[in-house]
Amino acid sequence: MVRFKVNGKERSFDGDPEMPLLWYLRDVASLPGTKFGCGQALCGACTVHQNGSAIRSCTTPMSEVGGSEITTIEGIPAMHPVQKAWMEIRVPQCGYCQTGQIMQAISLLKENKNPSDQDIDTAMSGNICRCGTYQRIRAAIHQAAKETA
Amino acid sequence: MKLIENVSLMAATNAASKTGARVAGAEAGRRRFLQGVLASGVFVLSARFIPGTFLAEGEQNPSSLEAGLWMSIAPDGMVTIIAHRSEMGCGSRTALPLIVADELDADWSKVIIKQAIGDPKYGDQDTDGSHSVRSSFDLMRQVGATGRVMLISAAAERWKVPAKECSTEPHFVVHGASGRKVGYGEIAAEAAKRPVPNNGNVPVPLKKRSQWRYIGKETNSLFDLRDIVTGKAVFGMDATMPGMVFASVEHPPVLGQKVKSHDDQAALKVPGVKKTIVIETFKPPHQFQPLGGVAVIADNTYAAFKGRKSLKIEWDESPHSSYNSAAYRKTLEETSRKPCKVVRNVGDVDAAFAKGAAGGGKIIEAEYYAPHLAHVSMEPPVAVAEYKNGKVIAFAPTQNPQAVQETIASVLGIKKEDVTCHVTLLGGGFGRKSKPDQVAEAAVLSKQLGKPVKVVWSREDDIHFDFFHSVAAMYMKAAVGADGRPTAWLQRTVYPPINSTFDASARYADDEMGLGWNNLPFDIPNHRAENGPADYHVRIGWLRSVANIYHAFAIHSFADELAKAADKDSVQYLLDLIGPSRTVPLQYKEEEADEKQRYPLDTARLRRVVEIAAEKSGWGKKPMGKGRGMGIAAHRSFLTYVATVVEVEVDAKGQVHIPGVWTALDAGTVISPDNVRNQFEGAASFGTSLALFGEITATNGVIDQNNFDTYQLARMNRAPKNVDVTIVESDSPPAGVGEPGVPPFAPALYNAVFAATGKRVRELPLAKTKLV
Ligand code: FES
Ligand code: FES
């Protein structure tokens, strides 16, 4: 039995300890804002926060979740400055990758209040956007940084 | 187009009008649409304007103005507009209702968009070929304008004034002379009783362009924007049905293989796995039928994935087990070196070639190659379906809900009217999600299990079992005069056609010819375009901009080669090739009459985008240091004119960086300019992925790539740093925007690499060639 918190709520899980957090969130906890894109930590669609830092939930087994605090997009109080910037710059196309991008960006801005283009590229290159919204993502992160500064 | 007997309407629709992703088909579809649907749409519209007569299911308020199919107004003023096209990131779901709202003079903040289920009453719903706006623009305007006329008429009646004294401001009818005004919600019930203007048969007057409030405005944004950034948007991956189980399917590794035997003992021991079910392999042609294989049914997605790993399956033989990409390439190239089927002929290239290098000119030849590509939309194929009492309800991220109906009906032997397809948001589509094989899998499994089933494809499934973009070989030959201009231009293209998906014997391209091959817009006296035969060994399908990708790659690489051979500036040479402003005479098919009339190939528009892109990029003015260079290409596709300049920097390791891209486009009338820019920014990224990395290969019929490690995409650090998009202001009818940004990108990039390094690379992707 693993105990942990998701978006501030106490949870426990006694199923297959190998189950990735991603599928727990989606199929068990009914929190579908976290997306499946690759299952191999290659695309970032499944990004959530574990104790405040971005992780790939698709390769984080439930056995490693015990005692930690998980935050998903559903747990981000809207409108976070990053979400606001995303809307103002009109970043999304299909939108599927964007919750992962936003979770990654929030975590980046927590660690680096004023990231350079280079910092952003480094932090965000694990997150694929097949629709190709990268330049808007970069602009939105700069804008959110300004707003929170 | 030869249609296959006894294959349902699905094949007809697809083979006839979708394979070419609608350069041709779109217009054919469009005409049918306007006759069929405007006729039926407005007829239904008229019927449904009588309240209570034809209320849609679940709508109880008989006093709301029921514009039936397309829109309704509730007493509280909320306007519901139907989106009959899918949203996969191109903005159709927002754009079409915006057009209705504009002509209705509605307040956009009081508009709700309702996604249509699949139903032929909406006409063609296939969201492909960059044609949603261009095929529905006129109709959407009519829908909105009809509603507005009826609202005005009702208010005039109430006020006992002539209707022509009344007008509208957003969401109100106003009578200027007396200063009276009434809200749309308040007058809706009375409006519903007004006769439909002109019985719905004759177009009602439309707004002037200058009166548009939404069409063409910078402020437009996606209807679903807020839901997307807050994680509330519902994609196919997020669809659920009560009591559903999860399924993951081990497909035959080689196309057409059948399960000989399987052992599921170990799989059944995996926690959460309930059972396995064999899905029958399709009988050719494969169309959109399930591939076959063994499905693992489980309590959750992970258990189904995990169970699959312990399956032991023996597969039988398939004629496609001999498919090896390296050998196949040789076959394509050999075919391309010999005369093939002529698809366009101007003058006499042979005579010109026979003259050879006479008079100081030369003969230039080149061969180009482009491999298979996979779509890899961020959301892999997924669907939920329930079979119950001979009927199916499905929720799917599909570009084509009617194809879902047709495919499931034909696979299960039920009527297509008995298949209800709800369309979710799509996490990308790019053409893959016009093909609903995974939805059919869910329906087949549900029928066997007696409960709803969610089928989830892994990324590996998605890459292994795509409907691949075709592999292609192109042969080019030109005779150039002493002035460097070509006097003759021969182009030959060979690839397994999309039609092989619908007709296993198809070996020649069809609608693909209209995708940048039989319409070369260059001013050359002798020109011949040919197409050679090829056999398919994997499922071939259309992928964002389709055959334009390899056609544009060959044509615009070759044009640049000629420019460099003549020692001319590439932009100037390209403008010379395009030649004077004129309409290029093309042969249109019968169903392309509308295209011929409304969208003639106008070289002035092509020249203009070239000039703008060159100017914005600082072409010829910016100093290019070592390892830096610019390239250009200009290509018209989906009736939109696009020129793209790419700047590259090739570093000491030979890695290509893209500091800047400048694209100019003329897509006629655009609905949401900012979204259009987003599409073209995205096209540059899509273009980067295919130009630098994209390659699918097969060994003994099995696809070699697995996930984003072996099938790489442009990430933020490799995508163009800055993409500058210029939209040419135009009153012309709307053209496509989702796809046309892609074709010129790869040749512009390769031409830039040549400028930067002196290396002429003639095959995609660039990663295969060492640049230093
Ligand atoms: S789904 Fe986790 S990184 Fe792709
Ligand atoms: S917006 Fe579609 S994948 Fe990023």
Side-chain angles (χ1 to χ4, degrees):
Chain A
M1 169 87 77
V2 232
R3 288 180 192 287
F4 51 99
K5 276 189 182 174
V6 178
N7 299 333
K9 258 210 216 133
E10 298 279 354
R11 303 260 187 172
S12 65
F13 177 75
D14 60 1
D16 187 344
E18 285 179 20
M19 180 189 279
L21 172 60
L22 168 68
W23 296 113
Y24 166 80
L25 292 171
R26 296 187 51 82
D27 292 350
V28 183
S30 298
L31 291 168
T34 305
K35 302 301 185 208
F36 167 57
C38 70
Q40 302 281 345
L42 296 166
C43 78
C46 65
T47 304
V48 299
H49 297 169
Q50 185 173 31
N51 303 324
S53 303
I55 57 155
R56 305 292 186 236
S57 64
C58 69
T59 48
T60 306
M62 289 309 286
S63 57
E64 286 174 20
V65 172
S68 65
E69 177 108 28
I70 301 298
T71 310
T72 70
I73 187 77
E74 290 92 344
I76 302 293
M79 296 299 280
H80 188 283
V82 167
Q83 290 168 316
K84 239 178 91 199
W86 242 250
M87 285 189 70
E88 279 163 18
I89 306 238
R90 290 176 285 198
V91 173
Q93 289 183 32
C94 81
Y96 191 81
C97 73
Q98 299 295 349
T99 52
Q101 305 275 7
I102 287 169
M103 294 306 281
Q104 187 72 33
I106 290 175
S107 155
L108 162 67
L109 287 175
K110 214 184 274 175
E111 285 152 27
N112 183 345
K113 298 261 177 285
N114 188 22
S116 64
D117 277 2
Q118 185 58 48
D119 296 337
I120 295 174
D121 285 10
T122 306
M124 300 302 296
S125 283
N127 289 69
I128 296 176
C129 175
R130 179 55 157 160
C131 298
T133 61
Y134 299 122
Q135 96 183 37
R136 288 175 187 241
I137 291 173
R138 196 187 291 116
I141 292 175
H142 281 309
Q143 178 158 322
K146 248 186 252 149
E147 182 141 332
T148 43
Chain B
M1 166 82 47
K2 203 175 77 203
L3 292 180
I4 314 125
E5 292 285 304
N6 93 33
V7 184
S8 64
L9 176 65
M10 167 181 103
T13 316
N14 292 306
S17 61
K18 290 212 328 217
T19 52
R22 306 233 181 234
V23 150
E27 298 320 312
R30 190 182 160 280
R31 278 190 313 145
R32 280 198 298 273
F33 193 67
L34 285 178
Q35 284 158 6
V37 178
L38 196 51
S40 76
V42 174
F43 173 75
V44 176
L45 185 81
S46 87
R48 291 193 180 197
F49 266 80
I50 301 162
T53 311
F54 283 98
L55 282 178
E57 208 185 338
E59 291 189 51
Q60 316 231 312
N61 193 335
S63 60
S64 65
L65 168 63
E66 250 304 316
L69 283 181
W70 302 108
M71 62 129 195
S72 62
I73 303 176
D76 66 358
M78 288 313 284
V79 173
T80 301
I81 303 177
I82 296 292
H84 68 297
R85 297 299 172 104
S86 303
E87 183 55 73
M88 56 179 151
C90 303
S92 308
R93 178 174 141 87
T94 300
L96 299 179
L98 264 175
I99 300 165
V100 175
D102 204 329
E103 289 292 348
L104 182 65
D105 219 8
D107 174 348
W108 183 246
S109 70
K110 297 198 175 78
V111 170
I112 299 166
I113 297 177
K114 189 168 148 194
Q115 190 67 38
I117 59 166
D119 194 322
K121 73 185 178 193
Y122 297 111
D124 177 11
Q125 290 178 272
D126 191 3
T127 312
D128 77 344
S130 299
H131 80 123
S132 290
V133 167
R134 89 179 114 102
S135 295
S136 307
F137 186 63
D138 296 344
L139 178 61
M140 293 297 107
R141 293 184 74 189
Q142 286 296 320
V143 168
T146 299
R148 180 169 172 269
V149 166
M150 293 174 73
L151 289 159
I152 288 178
S153 151
E157 169 82 13
R158 187 193 267 199
W159 296 327
K160 302 287 178 240
V161 298
K164 62 176 185 300
E165 288 180 10
C166 300
S167 63
T168 56
E169 57 188 50
H171 248 72
F172 287 92
V173 182
V174 293
H175 181 239
S178 64
R180 279 175 290 191
K181 64 194 241 179
V182 60
Y184 280 5
E186 193 190 330
I187 200 75
E190 286 153 63
K193 297 185 192 118
R194 305 302 302 162
V196 174
N198 305 324
N199 293 324
N201 289 323
V202 185
V204 295
L206 301 168
K207 281 186 179 179
K208 293 197 202 65
R209 293 179 82 87
S210 58
Q211 296 172 309
W212 284 343
R213 290 181 198 281
Y214 307 123
I215 300 171
K217 297 295 182 274
E218 280 296 336
T219 41
N220 297 340
S221 59
L222 292 181
F223 182 77
D224 301 292
L225 182 56
R226 194 185 181 89
D227 284 350
I228 287 170
V229 304
T230 52
K232 294 196 182 79
V234 179
F235 295 90
M237 191 60 78
D238 310 326
T240 57
M241 287 178 95
M244 72 181 189
V245 290
F246 296 79
S248 175
V249 184
E250 187 74 20
H251 297 111
V254 180
L255 182 67
Q257 281 179 319
K258 296 186 184 70
V259 178
K260 227 155 108 181
S261 67
H262 82 290
D263 172 357
D264 61 8
Q265 300 264 313
L268 291 172
K269 293 206 182 87
V270 170
V273 171
K274 295 172 125 84
K275 73 188 281 179
T276 65
I277 294 175
V278 174
I279 302 179
E280 227 180 283
T281 297
F282 62 84
K283 291 184 190 59
H286 47 264
Q287 302 175 18
F288 305 149
Q289 301 174 72
L291 283 165
V294 181
V296 175
I297 312 299
D299 287 337
N300 59 68
T301 312
Y302 174 66
F305 282 179
K306 191 172 174 184
R308 260 178 71 187
K309 294 204 184 107
S310 328
L311 282 175
K312 290 196 195 79
I313 306 173
E314 220 192 311
W315 306 98
D316 76 351
E317 277 309 303
S318 156
H320 302 299
S321 314
S322 61
Y323 188 39
N324 286 293
S325 289
Y328 189 80
R329 172 177 181 165
K330 290 211 175 75
T331 313
L332 289 184
E333 287 173 342
E334 274 159 27
T335 307
S336 79
R337 289 175 195 135
K338 287 172 264 171
C340 294
K341 188 171 116 187
V342 176
V343 297
R344 184 174 172 215
N345 189 45
V346 179
D348 186 346
V349 289
D350 293 325
F353 290 145
K355 275 194 220 142
K362 44 188 156 184
I363 300 283
I364 300 175
E365 289 172 283
E367 294 184 7
Y368 302 90
Y369 175 77
H372 285 299
L373 298 172
H375 298 78
V376 290
S377 52
M378 283 313 292
E379 174 194 51
V382 61
V384 189
E386 176 173 34
Y387 175 95
K388 208 167 158 184
N389 305 326
K391 296 188 180 184
V392 171
I393 296 175
F395 291 81
T398 177
Q399 291 173 236
N400 190 354
Q402 292 175 27
V404 171
Q405 294 182 284
E406 289 149 6
T407 302
I408 291 178
S410 106
V411 170
L412 292 184
I414 60 177
K415 291 201 297 269
K416 66 177 198 272
E417 296 74 27
D418 288 336
V419 179
T420 305
C421 180
H422 298 275
V423 180
T424 64
L425 291 177
L426 283 66
F430 311 112
R432 172 63 179 90
K433 291 174 183 167
S434 286
K435 301 111 176 164
D437 50 329
Q438 91 284 10
V439 198
E441 285 179 340
V444 166
L445 293 171
S446 175
K447 186 176 178 187
Q448 295 212 29
L449 285 160
K451 52 177 85 169
V453 177
K454 179 171 191 170
V455 167
V456 184
W457 284 36
S458 68
R459 178 60 61 195
E460 289 80 3
D461 295 334
D462 176 46
I463 290 179
H464 294 164
F465 307 110
D466 200 355
F467 286 79
F468 297 100
H469 171 77
S470 220
V471 51
M474 278 75 48
Y475 168 85
M476 314 289 287
K477 182 176 180 182
V480 293
D483 59 355
R485 273 188 68 89
T487 54
W489 172 298
L490 167 71
Q491 58 185 35
R492 213 174 268 145
T493 185
V494 185
Y495 45 84
I498 292 171
N499 259 351
S500 60
T501 282
F502 308 102
D503 170 1
S505 68
R507 302 180 77 228
Y508 285 93
D510 191 318
D511 284 350
E512 290 110 319
M513 290 294 100
L515 301 172
W517 201 248
N518 66 13
N519 45 17
L520 186 78
F522 294 164
D523 183 23
I524 301 171
N526 303 294
H527 166 56
R528 193 163 77 217
E530 301 180 11
N531 170 234
D535 294 320
Y536 78 96
H537 294 293
V538 291
R539 301 189 295 181
I540 304 291
W542 43 97
L543 171 143
R544 190 178 189 178
S545 84
V546 199
N548 285 294
I549 292 174
Y550 36 82
H551 290 159
F553 175 59
I555 288 169
H556 300 293
S557 295
F558 193 56
D560 198 60
E561 295 211 38
L562 300 190
K564 294 289 156 35
D567 206 16
K568 295 259 172 71
D569 173 73
S570 297
V571 168
Q572 198 47 55
Y573 192 85
L574 179 57
L575 288 169
D576 285 348
L577 271 182
I578 296 168
S581 298
R582 68 198 186 283
T583 296
V584 178
L586 296 174
Q587 279 158 13
Y588 291 89
K589 294 182 190 171
E590 202 188 316
E591 66 269 19
E592 294 166 342
D594 184 80
E595 183 180 324
K596 182 178 178 183
Q597 201 198 333
R598 302 219 306 167
Y599 297 93
L601 203 176
D602 177 353
T603 54
R605 295 174 76 183
L606 190 58
R607 293 182 66 92
R608 182 122 187 257
V609 292
V610 170
E611 285 158 359
I612 294 171
E615 201 207 306
K616 294 275 275 183
S617 69
W619 184 273
K621 299 205 179 86
K622 230 157 72 177
M624 290 282 123
K626 189 170 172 291
R628 282 181 96 103
M630 278 188 180
I632 188 164
H635 192 77
R636 177 194 188 241
S637 63
F638 308 95
L639 310 171
T640 290
Y641 302 79
V642 186
T644 295
V645 172
V646 176
E647 181 179 344
V648 299
E649 189 187 342
V650 183
D651 69 19
K653 290 196 218 104
Q655 215 177 62
V656 174
H657 306 274
I658 307 170
V661 174
W662 294 265
T663 287
L665 67 111
D666 178 350
T669 301
V670 305
I671 310 303
S672 298
D674 187 65
N675 180 59
V676 171
R677 281 195 291 274
N678 207 343
Q679 295 306 305
F680 281 77
E681 290 161 22
S685 182
F686 199 93
T688 303
S689 293
L690 74 90
L692 295 187
F693 313 116
E695 179 170 38
I696 291 288
T697 54
T699 304
N700 299 325
V702 180
I703 299 303
D704 298 318
Q705 292 70 26
N706 299 306
N707 204 318
F708 295 127
D709 48 354
T710 41
Y711 190 75
Q712 296 205 33
L713 298 178
R715 295 165 180 274
M716 191 185 274
N717 59 353
R718 297 302 300 277
K721 179 82 190 279
N722 189 49
V723 183
D724 177 87
V725 180
T726 306
I727 302 171
V728 174
E729 291 268 344
S730 168
D731 291 352
S732 298
V737 298
E739 298 169 87
V742 174
F745 189 87
L749 174 84
Y750 274 57
N751 294 340
V753 166
F754 180 82
T757 65
K759 276 214 166 124
R760 179 62 66 182
V761 185
R762 298 192 181 88
E763 67 174 303
L764 291 168
L766 203 54
K768 281 166 69 185
T769 304
K770 278 213 172 348
L771 291 177
V772 289

